[in-house]
Amino acid sequence: SSSVMNISEHLSCPLGFGHYNAVDICILETVVIVLLTFLIIAGNLTVIFVFHCAPLLHHYTTSYFIQTMAYADLFVGVSCLVPTLSLLHYSTGVHESLTCQVFGYIISVLKSVSMACLACISVDRYLAITKPLSYNQLVTPCRLRLCIALIWIYSGLIFLPSFFGWGKPGYHGDIFEWCATSWLTNAYFTGFIVCLLYAPAAFVICFTYFHIFKICRQHTKEISDRRARFPTHEGDTAGDTGHGPDRRYAMVLFRITSVFYVLWLPYILYFLLESSRVLDNPALSFLTTWLAISNSFCNCVIYSLSNSVFRLGLRRLSETLCSSC
């Protein structure tokens, strides 16, 4: 019972109707956070190792962005060790306010990197389908590395004002008491983040994938019409599948993007409502925050289920590990 009390002292319990109910909720929240931390770290380490063991995955330039997302999500899992250790009553040795600010800033920057990478992936696939002849000249490894560097720099700068007292960078579901009571959101800072990050990324993704699937649909219709006109002409069939691999890969990336926004939309809506002082509910704060953070694990699952080359690399990695054991 003493360990339960220690956990309850460190955790801001959202639904504490009575002492025992509050303690039960604290234990439930602790289990959720510890489990997510383990899954995120294990899942993204697997993705990183598979990419190193499966050279075919480097055929697409988007592998640069996928790996960047995997590293960012891995760092999210490592960062989540801070609240995990705090909940398990291990002292961080740092002042709570500084720990809270640094943790909130790091989580926000890492998720910003993931969001920007998804936008860049959609642009990359858009160029691959709309400009196939000049794609290799437009998208070079040097430009990709420069783009990834700019993503990290931009993500780091956009949340930096939070350290100077201008609002909260967006981390809710507060584990630390100082975060919940003393560090408040600011409507102007929230609008700043939405205008410079959330809205542009969502617009770019919607625009590019709309045109990608529109082009693919037109291409499929042209193939069907040509086959209906010349049913025995086999020469066209071989040349009509040019967009096939690109379309399938675009679908994999579209699933990753869709799940990202499905999991992050409740968090963004709560972020806006709380900043406007319309809603302040600790239970919703906790649920929306950790639902969004769970996306760091979902990317691994979607990619492993949707991409055959990734599954092949995962099988080879498993066989290597099993044979060494």
Side-chain angles (χ1 to χ4, degrees):
S1 59
S2 60
S3 61
V4 169
M5 291 297 295
N6 289 335
I7 292 174
S8 64
E9 288 173 4
H10 279 260
L11 186 63
S12 301
C13 300
L15 298 174
F17 300 118
H19 172 70
Y20 292 105
N21 195 20
V23 171
D24 290 341
I25 291 170
C26 287
I27 296 297
L28 178 61
E29 291 180 353
T30 305
V31 170
V32 169
I33 295 171
V34 172
L35 180 62
L36 273 180
T37 301
F38 171 77
L39 290 176
I40 290 170
I41 293 175
N44 285 285
L45 278 176
T46 302
V47 170
I48 291 167
F49 284 133
V50 168
F51 264 92
H52 283 291
C53 296
L56 286 175
L57 285 169
H58 297 280
H59 173 69
Y60 291 102
T61 55
T62 47
S63 65
Y64 285 85
F65 296 112
I66 293 290
Q67 289 182 82
T68 301
M69 287 173 58
Y71 280 108
D73 290 335
L74 175 62
F75 293 144
V76 167
V78 173
S79 300
C80 288
L81 289 173
V82 175
T84 300
L85 294 175
S86 177
L87 292 173
L88 297 176
H89 203 53
Y90 286 94
S91 175
T92 57
V94 184
H95 195 270
E96 186 180 7
S97 60
L98 180 60
T99 304
C100 177
Q101 283 184 308
V102 172
F103 177 68
Y105 173 78
I106 290 174
I107 289 289
S108 299
V109 168
L110 292 173
K111 297 319 296 178
S112 172
V113 169
S114 293
M115 193 174 293
C117 281
L118 288 172
C120 290
I121 285 171
S122 68
V123 173
D124 177 84
R125 290 300 88 199
Y126 176 77
L127 292 175
I129 289 179
T130 58
K131 300 183 183 298
L133 298 179
S134 58
Y135 174 76
N136 290 331
Q137 286 74 37
L138 290 172
V139 182
T140 62
C142 182
R143 289 178 180 176
L144 286 171
R145 294 188 188 98
L146 177 62
C147 182
I148 290 170
L150 290 175
I151 286 173
W152 282 99
I153 294 170
Y154 183 78
S155 300
L157 290 176
I158 196 173
F159 290 101
L160 205 55
S162 64
F163 275 108
F164 302 98
W166 193 31
K168 204 174 184 177
Y171 171 68
H172 304 284
D174 301 309
I175 302 304
F176 306 102
E177 185 180 356
W178 188 88
C179 285
T181 58
S182 303
W183 200 16
L184 302 178
T185 52
N186 181 291
Y188 295 106
F189 183 68
T190 302
F192 171 77
I193 296 297
V194 169
C195 292
L196 293 185
L197 178 62
Y198 296 153
F203 174 78
V204 167
I205 288 169
C206 291
F207 175 84
T208 52
Y209 277 114
F210 172 78
H211 284 85
I212 286 171
F213 291 120
K214 181 180 177 182
I215 292 169
C216 289
R217 189 164 57 247
Q218 289 174 349
H219 190 74
T220 303
K221 186 176 181 298
E222 290 173 3
I223 292 174
S224 300
D225 292 343
R226 195 175 302 174
R227 286 175 177 171
R229 235 189 263 176
F230 309 104
T232 58
H233 201 299
E234 297 180 0
D236 290 337
T237 306
D240 287 338
T241 58
H243 282 311
D246 283 328
R247 182 173 54 189
R248 287 192 296 272
Y249 196 61
M251 278 301 300
V252 174
L253 300 171
F254 180 71
R255 290 189 195 108
I256 293 176
T257 305
S258 300
V259 171
F260 181 93
Y261 277 95
V262 166
L263 294 176
W264 272 81
L265 188 59
Y267 168 83
I268 295 172
L269 291 176
Y270 183 84
F271 187 23
L272 292 170
L273 293 173
E274 187 189 86
S275 301
S276 306
R277 304 295 183 264
V278 175
L279 181 63
D280 185 10
N281 188 307
L284 282 177
S285 176
F286 180 86
L287 290 173
T288 55
T289 296
W290 291 95
L291 183 67
I293 290 177
S294 70
N295 175 257
S296 297
F297 171 69
C298 292
N299 289 341
C300 319
V301 177
I302 298 168
Y303 209 72
S304 60
L305 292 178
S306 304
N307 191 286
S308 58
V309 179
F310 184 88
R311 290 197 300 272
L312 177 61
L314 183 60
R315 191 168 72 237
R316 286 178 178 173
L317 178 63
S318 303
E319 291 172 353
T320 304
L321 292 175
C322 290
S323 61
S324 63
C325 291

